[in-house]
Amino acid sequence: MLFGNYCVELLIKIDLLKVLFEYFVRELFDKMFNANGGEVKVTRASHDGGVDAIAFDDDPIRGGKFVIQAKRYNNVVPVSAVRDLYGTMIHEGATKGILVTTSFYGKESYDFAKDKPITLIDGQALLGLLNKYGYSNLIIKIDKHQEN
């Protein structure tokens, strides 16, 4: 029975880490878009269709509807995550998609995103943005494994 309780506790901790990561990403983009006159709407977790936040920017040149997804990975983000984001963008009628991860992207992900309105933010870039917008002293540990 101790093993069963341990599994439940571990799953709760993993869920909590996911929620905290998604919260930080939402807060970050809220600060970024609000600083430029935009607006971020947080989606409800149970009905988000993979979307963690939707941002709106009224600027006639750089603006539009942005779909933001946060993915917490420990190794390379699979290209399927980028494809899913693109499908979500089309479904939502978004002008741009932003995929944020604690990890990194492989060549296949960058190749797929090329010439599409998709921004890939890896763990290192995420730390830079978090520091820029007031979240300092954060560390993201990444174990780099090769993409299959």
Side-chain angles (χ1 to χ4, degrees):
M1 192 58 141
L2 180 61
F3 182 73
N5 289 340
Y6 175 76
C7 286
V8 170
E9 182 179 334
L10 181 62
L11 289 174
I12 289 170
K13 286 182 181 179
I14 290 171
D15 284 346
L16 180 60
L17 288 173
K18 181 181 180 210
V19 168
L20 288 174
F21 173 63
E22 290 172 358
Y23 170 79
F24 273 122
V25 169
R26 289 173 184 150
E27 284 286 311
L28 170 66
F29 281 94
D30 190 45
K31 285 184 179 186
M32 289 172 63
F33 276 84
N34 283 333
N36 293 312
E39 173 186 8
V40 173
K41 292 186 179 181
V42 176
T43 58
R44 289 188 359 221
S46 61
H47 302 290
D48 67 5
V51 177
D52 293 305
I54 296 176
F56 299 93
D57 187 338
D58 292 334
D59 186 279
I61 296 171
R62 64 172 164 71
K65 181 179 180 181
F66 297 74
V67 172
I68 303 165
Q69 289 185 348
K71 300 288 184 185
R72 195 174 155 272
Y73 284 94
N74 290 323
N75 50 30
V76 68
V77 176
V79 68
S80 60
V82 185
R83 287 187 186 119
D84 290 346
L85 171 65
Y86 190 60
T88 302
M89 288 171 51
I90 292 168
H91 177 74
E92 291 287 333
T95 55
K96 185 165 187 129
I98 303 169
L99 186 59
V100 182
T101 186
T102 52
S103 186
F104 60 100
Y105 301 95
K107 183 180 181 323
E108 288 183 5
S109 293
Y110 286 110
D111 287 348
F112 182 82
K114 185 180 178 183
D115 300 324
K116 293 180 181 69
I118 295 175
T119 298
L120 302 177
I121 299 175
D122 65 12
Q124 186 174 355
L126 175 60
L127 277 177
L129 288 170
L130 287 167
N131 283 321
K132 180 179 177 179
Y133 287 92
Y135 300 98
S136 57
N137 300 320
L138 297 174
I139 297 171
I140 296 176
K141 182 181 176 191
I142 300 171
D143 295 325
K144 288 198 172 192
H145 298 289
Q146 294 299 320
E147 183 173 17
N148 296 335

